[in-house]
Amino acid sequence: MSSNFSVVIFGSGSIGKRHYQVANSIPNCDVFIRSKINLRNIELAKDGFKIFDFSQKCDLGIIASEANNHKNDYCKNCSFARKWIIEKPIVSIYDEFEDELFDIFKLKETIVGYNKRFELGILELRKILKNKKLNSAHFKCFSNLSSWRDQSLIDSLSLDKKRGGGVINELSHEIDLANYLIGPIKKIKGITKQRKFKNYLVEDTAFLKLEHQNGINSKVDLSFGCRDEIRKTILMFDDMKIIYNHISGYLEKIPKDKKKDVIKECFKENRNKSFERQIRLQLFNDNIHTIPCSTSEGLSYIKLANHLVWQ
């Protein structure tokens, strides 16, 4: 190969194409993509994508196929790359046999694609939490989802439970952020609901209460198919409240003492940057301030949420 590093993406949907675009923007990277459907590979080649032909071993592999295929696609192709990123969720439905995956993960340097950890605003919150005692937290994500894809929500896998859809699988970034910022999750309570898409056998909304191993409690509210996009992380301290708006990039420190000024900082950046940092971490190990989501963490979210009642 002429390039110093090589990346292969398995999956050619919207997230697979995004990974291809981001990896292709990194200097000295040779990037390939592969669909399970041969006709789709022909179409991709016509559009200028490099098609992986299984004749080489890459430095990084990315599983970006449909959620219910993540596990099988990883197991089938894990010999074709040295390191891996598996898009979230790591599995779409947890069962007792999923623990067998750890034997495979141990053979590779594999992380789960919770790229929100790599946002500049989250890095700032981590710095704050090192020096302040947190009382509680609230994570909100009300998403349209169509804005992230090249298809309407009605035509996407989000509304197909068998293909890995549903609110927990689609919007589990907030569960990961709770785990990352506060500490390991001991228990997830709550309910999932079908509020908008009555003609589909899938939950589109969830209201969750998380108990963390350190005794702190947090709330996670999730819903997709929303008209307006809202994504916020709210941290409560004795002397202030901090609100980080993932969409606008603004981080507000709001003192309880009304005489003190609100401090407002902006961490707005191109949304591809968090994907890029995640890829660069696996390729170059150069994002040492962010700890990526481990496979054991990613699997634990599905296991902990497995019992949630659909109402």
Side-chain angles (χ1 to χ4, degrees), residues 7-11 16-17 19-20 23 31-35 61-62 64:
V7 179
V8 56
I9 294 105
F10 291 95
K17 288 180 177 178
H19 278 298
Y20 187 99
V31 187
F32 304 90
I33 197 167
R34 185 76 193 192
S35 171
I62 301 175

Side-chain angles (χ1 to χ4, degrees), residues 172-187:
S172 56
H173 278 292
E174 272 55 40
I175 297 175
D176 177 66
L177 287 177
N179 176 81
Y180 184 54
L181 291 173
I182 302 172
I185 301 166
K186 180 171 66 174
K187 185 180 294 185

Side-chain angles (χ1 to χ4, degrees), residues 1 9 12 20 31 38 60 73-74 78 83 115-116 129 131 140 150 155 176 187 215 218 220 233 260 273 286:
M1 289 185 192
I9 294 105
S12 59
Y20 187 99
V31 187
N38 287 331
L60 176 63
D73 287 347
Y74 175 81
C78 64
K83 294 184 178 182
N115 63 292
K116 290 293 178 183
L129 286 166
N131 301 307
K140 299 180 181 182
D150 52 8
D155 298 323
D176 177 66
K187 185 180 294 185
S218 64
V220 175
T233 294
K260 294 184 177 180
K273 279 295 183 181
D286 66 350

Side-chain angles (χ1 to χ4, degrees), residues 31 93 104 111 123 264-265 297 302 311:
V31 187
I93 299 174
I104 300 174
I111 65 173
L123 179 61
K264 193 172 184 178
E265 300 175 84
E297 287 175 301
I302 306 302
Q311 294 185 359

Side-chain angles (χ1 to χ4, degrees), residues 92-109:
S92 57
I93 299 174
Y94 180 86
D95 63 49
E96 60 182 314
F97 300 107
E98 305 302 353
D99 293 321
E100 298 174 3
L101 282 171
F102 291 126
D103 292 332
I104 300 174
F105 293 146
K106 289 175 183 176
L107 300 176
K108 300 282 180 178
E109 294 185 53

Side-chain angles (χ1 to χ4, degrees), residues 157-162 164-167 170 192-205 224 310:
L157 63 82
S158 300
L159 299 181
D160 191 337
K161 191 77 171 178
K162 292 181 179 179
V167 67
E170 288 293 276
T192 58
K193 287 178 173 286
Q194 186 183 52
R195 305 182 80 184
K196 308 176 189 70
F197 301 96
K198 301 294 186 181
N199 295 326
Y200 297 84
L201 296 175
V202 70
E203 319 100 302
D204 55 47
T205 302
F224 65 71
W310 184 356

